[in-house]
């Protein structure tokens, strides 16, 4: 699996684009298995970098979503309420929320596609 | 996303461990065992697909982590009667029954399937996480009987072939006439060239199916595993992990040790009245249960279906409609075949009526749920 270069990644397996779209990685959807529920914040909610902003549930597990950057929720992908399985089908195409990024410099601290891929490989080797 | 749990170094492996890894299964630690939780989507698996395969076709499980205790000798029946709550004297040769080992206070050491294999020979199939505890319990409490107690857990690779097509699949691999074997009966026959293999029409999926017991060396185990999968191709057979095993047993309200039953829950609370025979002679736990019966229940196991959006999970609190805590969820999950979010929970009898609404506390919010009849799923009767 290749990870797109148009975004940054976290060690908690989220991605964020420069215009503030946030989702989970292909590795994350694969680890979770069949995703059946995505709980997201309302438009206008403030999210803080490193803090939980939502939840994703598969048949077997509940996982928190951590914000890759601080900002205000501008849009929520409402499709995921009725079709959470879209995240399994296309994790990198299924954004969950779009935030208005407070400080674009926060993204510099995140992983590039290549670094994230390396991180996942190392994590799996344990 | 949070990181995966670290597997402790003492974890045990079944003889099929390398096979699961080779097939790309996602492995998890379960009760001290490194087991497949699900197989990859790339081979048509994943919990949902595996679950549906068992309900509509057939699925194959490695359940070698389950334990086995044999009691044999002139006093075997008396010993089994003393340590288990069902009436083993009713078992014909080759018949099996669901039962439980109880503590003197009427709570659970474990639930078991008792098989009568010979005139004076019984096999107890026990849970993985309670193997040593169960064996010690059985050995220590049967010393006064004229019978030999053996721990055979490591001798068998146990493969479960579950689903309406399970009988058709296994029939391709054995000379035994499986149509003559009724549910909860066993037979013996040649399977994949192995002589005298024990085959029980039992399982933990609320579906028809078989469990077979073969020698536990890796080469034989792998050969039979692949032969079973291969014979199942025409029926759409898939390998299944513990994830689907859990959702399947939950739809059928089959109890899981440490969840619906434990050393603090008694038989009446768990609603297993049907499997206890108070009228048979003395057995461990009987006196306490006789007394408890007169006192009435403080809590009882109910089925819940989520009414509002949310998934109840193991350990979540159950609240009444005004927000007061009344109990807890023992097992909760999306139900892949029923396409509902379901749970089992202990609540006071006053809250247990079918149709009663309660709340399940999910991340600090009360989410509405309703008490529904159980089992959630019952397999269709064959015409």
């Amino acid at each position: 699996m290749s990870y797109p270069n148009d975004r940054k990644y976290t060690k908690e397996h989220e991605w964020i684009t420069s215009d503030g779209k946030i989702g989970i990685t292909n590795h994350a959807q694969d680890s979770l298995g069949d995703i059946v529920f995505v709980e997201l914040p309302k438009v206008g909610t403030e999210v803080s970098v490193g803090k939980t902003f939502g939840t994703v549930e598969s048949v077997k597990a509940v996982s928190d979503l951590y914000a890759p950057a601080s900002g205000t929720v501008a849009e929520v992908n409402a499709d995921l309420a009725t079709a959470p399985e879209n995240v399994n089908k296309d994790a990198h195409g299924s954004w969950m929320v779009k935030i208005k990024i407070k400080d674009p410099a926060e993204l510099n601290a995140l992983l590039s596609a290549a670094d994230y891929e390396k991180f996942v490989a190392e994590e799996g080797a344990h | 996303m949070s990181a995966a749990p670290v597997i402790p170094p003492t974890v045990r492996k079944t003889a099929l461990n390398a096979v699961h890894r080779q097939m790309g299964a996602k492995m998890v630690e379960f009760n001290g065992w490194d087991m497949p939780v699900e197989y990859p989507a790339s081979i048509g698996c994943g919990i949902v697909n595996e679950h549906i395969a068992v309900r509509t076709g057939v699925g194959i499980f490695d359940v070698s982590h389950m334990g086995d205790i044999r009691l044999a000798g002139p006093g075997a029946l008396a010993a089994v009667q003393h340590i288990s709550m069902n009436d083993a004297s009713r078992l014909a040769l080759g018949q099996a029954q669901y039962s439980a080992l109880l503590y003197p206070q009427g709570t659970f050491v474990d639930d078991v399937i008792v098989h009568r294999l010979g005139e004076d020979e019984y096999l107890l199939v026990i849970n993985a996480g309670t193997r040593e505890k169960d064996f010690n319990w059985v050995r220590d409490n049967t010393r006064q009987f004229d019978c030999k107690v053996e721990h055979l857990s490591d001798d068998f690779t146990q493969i479960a072939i579950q689903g309406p097509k399970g009988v058709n699949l296994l029939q391709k691999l054995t000379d035994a006439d499986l149509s003559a074997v009724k549910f909860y009966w066993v037979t013996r026959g040649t399977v994949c060239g192995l002589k005298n293999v024990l085959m029980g029409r039992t399982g933990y999926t609320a579906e028809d199916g078989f469990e077979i017991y073969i020698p536990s060396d890796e080469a034989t185990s792998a050969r039979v595993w692949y032969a079973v999968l291969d014979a199942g191709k025409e029926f759409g057979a898939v390998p299944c992990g513990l994830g689907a095993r859990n959702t399947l047993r939950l739809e059928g309200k089959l109890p899981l040790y440490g969840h619906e039953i434990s050393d603090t829950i008694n038989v009446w609370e768990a609603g297993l009245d049907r499997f206890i025979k108070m009228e048979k002679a003395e057995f461990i736990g009987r006196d306490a249960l006789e007394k408890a019966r007169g006192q009435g229940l403080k809590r009882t196991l109910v089925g819940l279906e989520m009414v509002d959006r949310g998934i109840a999970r193991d350990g979540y609190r159950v609240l009444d409609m005004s927000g007061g805590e009344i109990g807890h969820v023992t097992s909760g999950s999306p139900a892949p075949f029923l396409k509902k979010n379901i749970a089992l929970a202990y609540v006071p009898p006053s809250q247990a009526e079918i149709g009663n609404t309660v709340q399940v506390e999910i991340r600090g919010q009360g989410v509405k749920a309703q008490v529904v009849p159980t089992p959630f799923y019952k397999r269709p009767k064959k015409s």
Side-chain angles (χ1 to χ4, degrees):
Chain A
M1 186 69 209
S2 67
Y3 290 88
N5 275 317
D6 61 353
R7 61 196 79 187
K8 293 288 193 121
Y9 299 83
T10 70
K11 289 187 175 179
E12 287 77 35
H13 309 285
E14 287 89 12
W15 53 258
I16 183 166
T17 58
S18 56
D19 64 347
K21 281 183 181 147
I22 298 171
I24 65 169
T25 67
N26 189 60
H27 172 78
Q29 71 75 21
D30 185 60
S31 310
L32 280 166
D34 300 309
I35 292 170
V36 291
F37 190 84
V38 182
E39 194 171 60
L40 298 169
K42 290 191 174 66
V43 169
T45 307
E46 297 285 329
V47 302
S48 311
V49 62
K51 297 276 168 27
T52 64
F53 69 92
T55 310
V56 54
E57 296 195 43
S58 65
V59 174
K60 67 176 193 288
V62 184
S63 242
D64 285 330
L65 296 164
Y66 296 95
S70 302
T72 311
V73 176
E75 277 181 70
V76 174
N77 185 352
D79 292 351
L80 297 182
T82 48
E85 67 275 11
N86 288 353
V87 179
N88 288 122
K89 288 179 191 148
D90 181 12
H92 298 152
S94 302
W95 60 278
M96 293 177 169
V97 293
K98 185 176 174 184
I99 63 166
K100 190 173 181 297
I101 298 173
K102 204 168 160 186
D103 175 10
E106 275 181 357
L107 267 57
N108 298 337
L110 302 178
L111 302 173
S112 68
D115 289 344
Y116 176 72
E117 208 169 340
K118 213 159 94 186
F119 170 72
V120 167
E122 281 166 6
E123 206 183 39
H126 289 171
Chain B
M1 290 289 307
S2 27
V6 177
I7 297 171
T10 53
V11 78
R12 288 197 266 183
K13 293 173 179 179
T14 73
L16 290 166
N17 191 275
V19 169
H20 301 315
R21 289 180 175 277
Q22 197 177 357
M23 294 185 80
K26 221 171 283 166
M27 306 297 286
V28 291
E29 193 269 333
F30 174 76
N31 282 340
W33 290 79
D34 183 42
M35 298 296 290
V37 64
E38 62 180 344
Y39 295 82
S42 57
I43 58 167
C45 288
I47 294 178
V48 171
N49 288 342
E50 293 167 23
H51 183 115
I52 302 297
V54 171
R55 288 275 177 262
T56 59
V58 57
I60 320 296
F61 302 75
D62 173 18
V63 291
S64 307
H65 59 314
M66 302 292 286
D68 314 273
I69 300 171
R70 184 167 70 177
L71 294 95
L77 174 60
V80 171
Q81 290 288 63
H82 177 61
I83 54 161
S84 67
M85 71 179 196
N86 207 332
D87 186 357
S89 74
R90 296 184 185 189
L91 292 173
L93 271 184
Q95 199 178 6
Q97 68 185 186
Y98 180 78
S99 186
L101 312 176
L102 302 178
Y103 288 112
Q105 61 268 32
T107 61
F108 294 87
V109 177
D110 197 7
D111 61 345
V112 298
I113 295 178
V114 178
H115 303 74
R116 188 177 177 205
L117 299 185
E119 202 56 52
D120 293 312
E121 184 191 355
Y122 295 83
L123 182 74
L124 311 183
V125 176
I126 58 176
N127 279 299
T130 50
R131 272 186 177 193
E132 279 67 32
K133 180 186 84 168
D134 289 8
F135 176 71
N136 292 339
W137 179 261
V138 171
R139 186 196 53 203
D140 294 348
N141 287 285
T142 55
R143 290 194 199 280
Q144 66 272 42
F145 300 97
D146 183 11
C147 78
K148 193 172 163 193
V149 180
E150 290 171 285
H151 195 183
L152 303 183
S153 298
D154 294 331
D155 294 11
F156 299 117
T157 282
Q158 186 179 340
I159 297 173
I161 302 163
Q162 299 284 300
K165 295 291 180 196
V167 59
N168 309 76
L169 189 163
L170 185 56
Q171 191 63 77
K172 288 174 68 181
L173 300 173
T174 181
D175 58 346
D177 176 13
L178 300 180
S179 68
V181 183
K182 287 181 281 190
F183 197 57
Y184 266 72
W185 285 72
V186 302
T187 190
R188 284 183 183 276
T190 300
V191 175
C192 299
L194 301 164
K195 290 202 168 52
N196 205 28
V197 168
L198 180 66
M199 294 172 267
R201 198 159 192 166
T202 51
Y204 190 52
T205 57
E207 211 56 70
D208 188 19
F210 284 83
E211 294 178 290
I212 64 172
Y213 302 77
I214 59 168
S216 61
D217 68 277
E218 284 185 28
T220 304
S221 301
R223 181 170 69 80
V224 174
W225 173 264
Y226 284 119
V228 170
L229 274 181
D230 200 46
K233 266 187 192 149
E234 62 176 292
F235 310 114
V238 294
C240 301
L242 294 186
R245 186 167 157 86
N246 187 52
T247 52
L248 287 158
R249 70 95 195 163
L250 178 58
E251 282 186 346
K253 202 201 184 187
L254 303 173
L256 174 62
Y257 194 83
H259 293 248
E260 288 71 41
I261 57 174
S262 76
D263 57 6
T264 62
I265 297 164
N266 77 32
V267 177
W268 308 132
E269 292 171 328
L272 294 172
D273 310 25
R274 187 154 82 80
F275 302 100
I276 188 165
K277 298 295 180 296
M278 295 295 277
E279 67 280 12
K280 78 170 185 176
E282 167 293 318
F283 58 93
I284 301 173
R286 188 189 178 285
D287 293 349
L289 287 169
E290 188 66 64
K291 212 171 137 194
R293 186 153 64 170
Q295 291 167 341
L297 290 178
K298 287 192 186 67
R299 56 181 175 178
T300 186
L301 190 66
V302 294
L304 297 179
E305 188 180 311
M306 299 309 294
V307 176
D308 289 338
R309 229 170 91 81
I311 302 166
R313 301 282 183 180
D314 307 12
Y316 284 10
R317 298 199 304 160
V318 179
L319 315 173
D320 61 23
M321 290 313 283
S322 46
E325 182 171 352
I326 54 169
H328 71 282
V329 171
T330 53
S331 297
S333 170
F337 186 74
L338 301 172
K339 297 189 168 41
K340 292 169 179 170
N341 295 326
I342 60 171
L344 292 170
Y346 276 106
V347 299
S350 61
Q351 295 280 351
E353 205 177 317
I354 303 294
N356 182 42
T357 50
V358 296
Q359 304 182 81
V360 176
E361 189 184 62
I362 302 175
R363 294 181 282 281
Q365 297 283 319
V367 179
K368 209 203 266 182
Q370 189 170 41
V371 178
V372 296
T374 53
F376 305 98
Y377 170 83
K378 213 170 167 149
R379 72 182 153 109
K381 287 253 187 301
K382 277 195 181 144
S383 50

